[in-house]
Structures are given as C-alpha cells and as structure tokens.
C-alpha cells in the first residue's frame, strides 16, 4: 500500500484536485496491475488549500486582538473559497453533504472566533482548534471528489486517527496509540477496497482535544501514517520536480537528483531545500520506507527518491548546496594554545546571544565560524574581544558539496577543492559524517565556483532527468537566501 500526500498547492482549487484525482487513479491502476485483486489503497493525506493555514492563524490573531469584525470577514471569505472549490464534487448528493459539512465546521469556527474576541486571548489550544480546520475541510472535499469520480473514498477524521501529546501547535504523535487508532479507522475501509483520505497536520490528544503537529506538518502526518500502517512507499506530491543538483538561479542547467540517502537530504536541508524538512520523514526512514518527492503539475517527471541507504552510483557527488550572505568571524588568541575550556568559553558567547554558528574551523590559536544572523553580531564581537582578537568579514558564501561518494573515495575531497580553481578558499571543513565537504568563499565568486563544480561533477553524461529539468527548471533548490 502506498501513502500519497498532496501539499497545499496540489489541492488549492478545482483543477488541482482534478489533477490529484487523475494521479490517484493512475496509482490505483498500477497497484491493481501489480498486485491483482489484493491491491489496497492508496491512503491519501492532504494539506489545507494553499494559504489557508496562514489565513486561519491570521484570523486567530485578529480575534485575540478583539477585531472580531475583521476575523469574521476573513472567515466569510474562507467559507466562500471552500464552497467554490467543492464544485469539484460532481455528484449532486455528495456535494450537498460536503457543503453541509463545510457550513457546519465554519459555523463552529465563527463561534470560536466570537468567544476569543470576547476573551481577547488565544491560547495554544484554541489556536490549534482554528488552525486544524484547514485540513479538516480540504480532506472532506477531496474524499467526496474522489468518490464522485468513481474512486470510492472514505473520509477519515484526523482527530480520531492521529493521537498526540498535548504540546499544542507542535504536538508529537504517540505511536502505539496512533497505530491502534489507524488500525481501527483506516484499516477497515482499506480492506473494503476504499481509499482512506485524511487531513495532514492535525491530531488530537487521548482526551480528544485537537492538536497540530507544527507548520508544514502534513509531511509528518504522511510519514506517521505510512510507518504505522507499514506502507510500501510514501509519495510527497508538491509543485516542484524534486531536489536539484544546484541552485537554478546560479547554475544554468541543474538537474533533478534522482536518488538521495536520508543523510544526504539532512545535510542539504540547512541550505533551505524547500521540498521537505528531513526530520518530518524520520518515522518513515526509521522503518525503511522509501519517500518519493513528485510534482503534481508534471506527474510524468521521475522526482527524487529518498531512502535510508542509497546504492552506490557512478556519480561521485549528489548535489552542491550554497548559501549567500554569510559572515565569517575570526577569533584568535594565544591563550588558546594548549589551554582547555577556551572553545567552551567562545561558544558560550554565541549561545548567550542566541546566534547559531554554522561552519566551524579551528587551528591551535584561532577559530573561524560563520553566522548568517547578524543581528547580535556587534554585541558578540564586543564580548569576544574581552579575551581574543576578533575580525569579521561579511558578503561571504558557503558551498557544500554533498554525496555518499565522499565516504567511499577519500581522494574526492581533493578533487572538489581542485575544481574550485584559482578562487581563494576562506575556510574548509569536513565533519564526521564525511558526506560533505564545506568551504567558504567570497560571495562574488559563487557563480564561478558553482559553475566550475557543476560542470566538473554533473554536466557529463546527464541522466534523462537532466533534459526534463532543463525544460522546466522548477525543482526545489539546494540553496537558501535570507528573507
Ligand atoms: N497546512 C499546514 C501548514 O501550512 C501543514 C502543511 O501544509 O503541511 O503549515
Ligand atoms: Mg500549507
């Protein structure tokens, strides 16, 4: 059985949901062909329609500030948007039921908003009650839409099927309880040949109080459902072709990485791989369930597969990530020589100023670190200056070459650095995982360096995905920029 998760842009309007239906139908047909009469599923997990969660959180804020009128207006628009989208349910009776459900849920939201407006306070618990509505509504529409298009679905209320702790807005699933609940609610429809449809992001405590799993939590839901039910594969349907070999804004022809190990995906995540946050698919990876990233607007594209281990490929590197607008801080002190406790003292300064440090390199008497949050840099420099010489250099960039190949071939690091050519390297680091080599250069050199490395490690004998990516370079980039 396969779990198919569709993100906000893949359910955002009538035509998106029609594409979803075609994709689910194709999966069901493929399963039937492979497994004959025993084919089950897929299980469908959906996000809220694009932008709806933000809207709901905005409504909560308005209500909490006493702007009940503004909150009501926004709710009215949300109601209308969902009713409009429900036209995707072609069967008249089905649609009437859906509209009744939408109205019922939105009436309830209005009552909550009214109460919060009176109290002028929104607790995390009530924030969750509001935020969860997006997925409850979208999943109900999608379930009815599938059924009215001949794919008999069963709507599953996530508040019954995903059991969590009571950490509102960032709840964690209780896996034994969730497995039991999924067996109770999802297994019977599956066995009866129906397609369970469940809203992501949402759960409830053992006492039945609605919770949410944190922003972007629908991927997490899909991983939980997949791992508790022992899925064969989890598909994350989004609006990009997958992970790219480099930032398409800098490199002319990056292509979609066909296969990543989970560890590689995690190394890339810091650089803003926007497709998914690796920690959200941990439950799947822990159970060795492959996760596939696919584009619902181009379902024929192969996408990116993430597995816990990856078979050796003939390509030495997997991707090159990069990050601009980084500052290097050099800290030098002869007191560091053969002393202990110096590094602790140094890092405590960054900790006290709540500033994350990214790349770190050290020698006997000096340490260089990079930071991308400059807000508290002046204070940090002042404190550090009490016991060391400090110099800062901004407009720097981090380049991070990632690949399991780096573990296998110890000469590869040298080859990567050679590939940089005559561009000065400011810091070089290879950490314990040995899946990446990271270095810092001047930001202005980034196009040259990425261009050289991409040409050397990726441009020959491109995979077929290369041609696809070139036609529409819409993959998620392995690069982050500050907002
Ligand atoms: N709708 C939720 C959010 O926007 C969850 C998700 O889309 O994954 O954060
Ligand atoms: Mg969303």
């Amino acid at each position: 059985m396969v779990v198919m998760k569709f993100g906000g842009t893949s359910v955002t309007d009538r035509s998106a949901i029609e594409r979803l239906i075609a994709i689910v139908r194709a999966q069901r047909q493929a399963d039937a062909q492979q497994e004959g009469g025993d084919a089950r599923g897929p299980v469908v997990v959906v996000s809220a329609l694009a932008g709806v969660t933000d809207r709901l959180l905005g409504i909560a804020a308005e209500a909490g500030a006493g702007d009940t009128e503004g909150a009501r207006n926004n709710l009215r628009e949300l109601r209308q948007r969902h009713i409009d989208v429900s036209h995707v349910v072609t069967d008249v009776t089905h649609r009437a039921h859906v509209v009744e459900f939408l109205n019922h849920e939105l009436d309830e939201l209005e009552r909550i908003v009214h109460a919060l407006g009176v109290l002028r306070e929104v607790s995390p618990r009530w924030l969750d009650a509001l935020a969860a509505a997006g997925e409850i509504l979208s999943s109900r529409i999608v379930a009815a839409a599938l059924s009215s298009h001949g794919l008999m679905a069963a709507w599953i209320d996530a508040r019954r099927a995903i059991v969590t702790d009571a950490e509102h807005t960032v709840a964690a699933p209780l896996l034994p309880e969730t497995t039991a609940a999924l067996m109770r609610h999802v297994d019977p429809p599956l066995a009866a040949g129906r397609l369970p449809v469940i809203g992501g992001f949402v759960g409830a405590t053992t006492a039945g109080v609605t919770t949410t799993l944190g922003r972007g939590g629908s991927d997490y839901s899909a991983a939980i459902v997949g791992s508790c039910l022992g899925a064969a594969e989890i598909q994350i349907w989004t609006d990009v072709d997958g992970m790219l070999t480099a930032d398409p804004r800098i490199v002319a022809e990056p292509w979609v990485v066909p296969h990543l190990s989970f560890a590689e995906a995690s190394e890339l995540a810091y650089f803003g791989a926007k497709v998914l946050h690796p920690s959200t698919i941990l439950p799947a990876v822990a159970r060795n369930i492959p996760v596939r990233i696919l584009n619902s607007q181009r379902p024929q594209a192969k996408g990116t597969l993430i597995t816990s281990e990856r078979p050796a490929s003939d390509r030495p590197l997997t991707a090159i990530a990069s990050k601009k607008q980084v500052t290097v801080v050099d800290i030098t002190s002869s007191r560091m020589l053969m002393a202990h406790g110096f590094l602790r003292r140094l890092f405590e300064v960054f900790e006290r100023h709540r500033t994350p440090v990214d790349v770190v390199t050290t020698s006997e008497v000096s340490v260089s670190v990079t930071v991308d949050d400059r807000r508290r840099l002046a204070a940090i420099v002042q404190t550090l200056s009490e016991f060391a010489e400090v110099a800062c250099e901004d407009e720097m960039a981090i380049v991070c070459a990632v690949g399991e190949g780096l573990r296998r071939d110890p000469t590869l690091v040298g080859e990567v650095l050679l590939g940089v050519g005559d561009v000065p390297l400011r810091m070089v680091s290879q950490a314990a995982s040995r899946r990446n080599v990271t270095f810092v250069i001047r930001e202005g050199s980034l196009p040259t360096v990425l261009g050289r490395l991409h040409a050397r490690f990726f441009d020959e004998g491109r995979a077929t995905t290369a041609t696809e990516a070139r036609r529409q370079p819409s993959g998620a980039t392995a690069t982050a920029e500050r907002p």
Side-chain angles (χ1 to χ4, degrees), residues 219-466:
D219 293 341
Y220 197 16
S221 302
I224 294 162
V225 170
S227 80
C228 289
L229 291 175
E233 176 174 299
I234 296 169
Q235 300 175 352
I236 306 286
W237 289 88
T238 175
D239 53 7
V240 295
D241 282 354
M243 298 273 261
L244 291 180
T245 51
D247 186 349
R249 290 166 300 186
I250 305 177
V251 169
E253 294 187 344
W255 42 276
V256 175
V257 181
H259 198 164
L260 280 171
S261 69
F262 177 71
E264 288 172 326
S266 306
E267 301 276 9
L268 291 168
Y270 160 69
F271 295 93
K274 294 177 198 99
V275 198
L276 49 74
H277 195 296
S279 66
T280 61
I281 59 163
L282 255 178
V285 173
R287 291 206 49 186
N288 254 324
I289 302 171
V291 175
R292 209 180 279 280
I293 298 160
L294 294 154
N295 186 349
S296 66
Q297 282 159 38
R298 294 186 350 105
Q300 70 282 11
K302 288 208 172 55
T304 296
L305 178 65
I306 304 174
T307 51
S308 41
E309 305 279 329
R310 182 166 68 76
S313 83
D314 46 357
R315 247 170 235 294
L317 293 183
T318 303
I320 312 170
S322 55
K323 185 166 191 146
K324 294 201 271 193
Q325 294 180 41
V326 165
T327 299
V328 172
V329 184
D330 292 318
I331 304 135
T332 312
S333 171
S334 51
R335 274 195 256 166
M336 186 177 160
L337 188 65
M338 291 192 265
H340 56 78
F342 185 84
L343 288 178
R344 178 184 51 75
R345 194 167 169 200
L346 191 158
F347 285 120
E348 261 173 11
V349 176
F350 288 91
E351 189 187 337
R352 219 176 312 139
H353 293 280
R354 297 190 305 284
T355 297
V357 158
D358 301 313
V359 186
V360 180
T361 58
T362 74
S363 78
E364 269 309 323
V365 291
S366 70
V367 179
S368 299
V369 304
T370 66
V371 297
D372 64 9
D373 179 355
R374 292 179 56 94
R375 282 174 299 173
R376 300 184 189 85
L377 199 55
I380 289 171
V381 168
Q382 197 184 358
T383 319
L384 287 172
S385 303
E386 288 165 15
F387 59 93
E389 268 169 52
V390 187
C392 295
E393 197 173 352
D394 52 17
E395 287 174 35
M396 305 299 281
I398 303 174
V399 178
C400 174
V402 174
E404 296 286 347
L406 286 158
R407 282 165 85 82
R408 279 190 299 272
D409 177 0
T411 66
L412 192 54
V413 175
E415 210 185 308
V416 171
L417 297 179
L418 263 180
V420 175
D422 57 0
V423 172
L425 297 176
R426 186 65 165 65
M427 294 165 65
V428 180
S429 140
Q430 188 182 34
S433 84
R434 287 190 286 123
R435 275 184 199 93
N436 78 59
V437 52
T438 301
F439 52 85
V440 177
I441 55 175
R442 292 215 61 82
E443 195 176 293
S445 308
L446 195 57
T448 311
V449 168
L450 288 191
R452 283 178 184 168
L453 290 179
H454 204 269
R456 186 169 185 139
F457 291 98
F458 294 96
D459 280 356
E460 272 158 48
R462 287 156 162 276
T464 40
T465 40

Side-chain angles (χ1 to χ4, degrees), residues 159 203-210:
R159 295 165 294 193
T205 64
T206 43
V209 180
T210 305

